[in-house]
Amino acid sequence: MARPRKPLLSRDRIVGAAGALVDAEGLAAVSTRRLAAELGVSGPSLYNHFRNKDEILEAVADAVSAQVDLSMFDTGDDRDWRTALHDWAVSYRAALTEHPNIVPVLAQGPGRRPAGLRVADAVFGAMVRAGWPPAQATYIGALMRYFITGSALGSFARGFVDDESAYDPADYPHLGQAHLLAEHRQKVDEGAFETGLRALVDGLALQYERRGASDAP
C-alpha cells in the first residue's frame, strides 16, 4: 500500500508555521532549524522559498497586515474620512492584538511588504481624496501607525500587580484601586484605545475645519 505523500512545502506553509511559532513563543523562537523540524522537512529546503529568517518574519508580518479591513477606504464606501479612519484603526488594532508578538516587526514600517504597502496606500489615498494636503496625509498615516502599534505593544493594565499592598496610600494616594486593573485588563486597554482614538480623530477634524475656514474666500 502506497505511503501517503507529505504536503508539498510552500511559502504559505512556512509562513503559517512561523506565525504559529511566533504567536506561541515569540520572535526569538523562530529559526530555520526549528521551522524545518515543525514542518518535517530538511533545513535547506526552506531556502527555496526564503533567503533567511528575517524574510520569513517579514512574510509573517505581512500576513497579519493582510487581515486588516480596508473596505472603508473604497471609493464606493459612503463613510466620511473620520469614520473610515476610526473603523480602520479598530480593525488594525484587532489584527495586532491577535498576534502581539509580531508587532515589533510591523512597527518598523511596511518596507517592501505588499499587504503593508496596500494599507499605507489606502490610508494615504483616502486622506488626500478627503481634501488633506499630501504632506498632512503622510503625517496622519504616520501618527495613526505610532498610536495603533504602540497600543498593541503592551498592556497598560497588566503593568500593575494585583497585590494591594504594593500601593501604600502613604506613597501612592491615588492608586488605591490599581491592584484591580490587571483583573479588568481587556476593558481598560480597549477603553484607553477608544478614548485615544476618538481624541486623535476629533483633533484631526478640528484641524481639517480650521484649514477649510482659512481657505475660504
Side-chain angles (χ1 to χ4, degrees):
M1 188 173 179
R3 296 176 62 187
R5 295 178 60 190
K6 289 183 180 179
L8 292 174
L9 191 62
S10 66
R11 286 180 65 91
D12 286 346
R13 280 194 69 211
I14 296 169
V15 171
L21 197 53
V22 171
D23 286 345
E25 301 182 33
L27 294 171
V30 179
S31 68
T32 53
R33 178 179 296 180
R34 177 77 182 274
L35 279 174
E38 294 283 336
L39 291 163
V41 299
S42 63
S45 63
L46 298 180
Y47 298 116
N48 293 324
H49 301 275
F50 295 97
R51 288 183 297 179
N52 50 45
K53 168 186 168 177
D54 288 342
E55 277 197 358
I56 295 172
L57 291 177
E58 287 286 311
V60 171
D62 212 39
V64 173
S65 293
Q67 299 173 17
V68 180
D69 182 14
L70 299 176
S71 64
M72 65 287 296
F73 297 131
D74 292 344
T75 54
D77 193 284
D78 61 2
R79 280 170 279 193
D80 63 22
W81 69 266
R82 301 167 185 80
T83 305
L85 200 62
H86 173 278
D87 293 351
W88 163 73
V90 170
S91 175
Y92 193 179
R93 181 178 182 272
L96 298 192
T97 53
E98 284 292 314
H99 309 281
N101 291 337
I102 198 66
V103 173
V105 179
L106 285 161
Q108 296 172 13
R112 297 177 180 271
R113 301 192 297 268
L117 289 170
R118 281 192 291 273
V119 171
D121 181 73
V123 176
F124 178 80
M127 295 304 100
V128 171
R129 285 197 307 274
W132 286 99
Q136 287 297 115
T138 299
Y139 302 155
I140 291 170
L143 76 88
M144 295 303 290
R145 182 163 65 83
Y146 300 154
F147 176 66
I148 297 165
T149 56
S151 75
L153 278 172
S155 165
F156 174 81
R158 193 179 288 158
F160 293 84
V161 299
D162 62 1
D163 179 4
E164 188 174 3
S165 67
Y167 308 104
D168 188 328
D171 296 320
Y172 315 109
H174 306 296
L175 296 182
Q177 301 298 307
H179 64 287
L180 301 176
L181 287 172
E183 180 184 348
H184 303 285
R185 180 188 63 80
Q186 183 173 355
K187 181 179 179 180
V188 172
D189 291 344
E190 289 182 356
F193 177 77
E194 183 64 25
T195 299
L197 177 58
R198 290 197 177 278
L200 277 177
V201 175
D202 288 349
L204 288 171
L206 286 174
Q207 290 186 36
Y208 186 87
E209 290 165 7
R210 289 180 188 139
R211 187 187 58 80
S214 67
D215 291 342

